[in-house]
Amino acid sequence: MASVEVALKELMTEIEGSLGAAVVDYTSGMALGSLGGGKDLDLTVAAAGNTDVIRAKVRTMEHLGLKSQIEDILITLGTQYHLIRLVAGRNGNGLFLYLVLDKDRSNLAMARHVLKRVESQLEV
């Protein structure tokens, strides 16, 4: 099992093109930890904003009567990918991993694979 700090380091070092990563509680919008980011990428603001994305999707799924669980959400920008992966399991209820990638330097399929592995090992 990996701690929040270890999980974030894995995401930033194992995924080429990683610009920032965070573990976020989507009930409060607070980041439990973050790594990377910078003046053009405020992970605290992004974490809070992406809680709204998850809440909206969960609400929409409820209205549609969908029983499936969200695995991940991809937001594609001009120069970046933003990946949101909900943390499954008893210890991860209400949490998500947030990863920002440089679109030109990253492999989206590989990033999703690593994100899934890190999520499965996360212990909060």
Side-chain angles (χ1 to χ4, degrees), residues 4 10-11 13 18 25 31 41 43 45 48 56 61 76-77 84 99 109:
V4 168
E10 282 185 52
L11 292 174
T13 58
S18 293
D25 177 344
L41 177 59
L43 289 171
V45 172
M61 289 175 63
T76 305
L77 304 178
I84 300 167
L99 178 65

Side-chain angles (χ1 to χ4, degrees), residues 65-114:
L66 299 175
K67 302 297 182 204
S68 293
Q69 297 295 315
I70 298 170
E71 288 185 20
D72 59 35
I73 298 170
L74 168 65
I75 300 169
T76 305
L77 304 178
T79 60
Q80 297 175 344
Y81 292 123
H82 290 232
L83 279 165
I84 300 167
R85 179 159 186 98
L86 274 67
V87 178
R90 60 183 170 80
N91 292 327
N93 196 18
L95 300 179
F96 68 91
L97 291 170
Y98 176 61
L99 178 65
V100 180
L101 303 169
D102 180 302
K103 199 172 173 182
D104 292 332
R105 296 186 307 122
S106 61
N107 177 323
L108 184 56
M110 185 57 93
R112 289 183 72 218
H113 175 74
V114 173

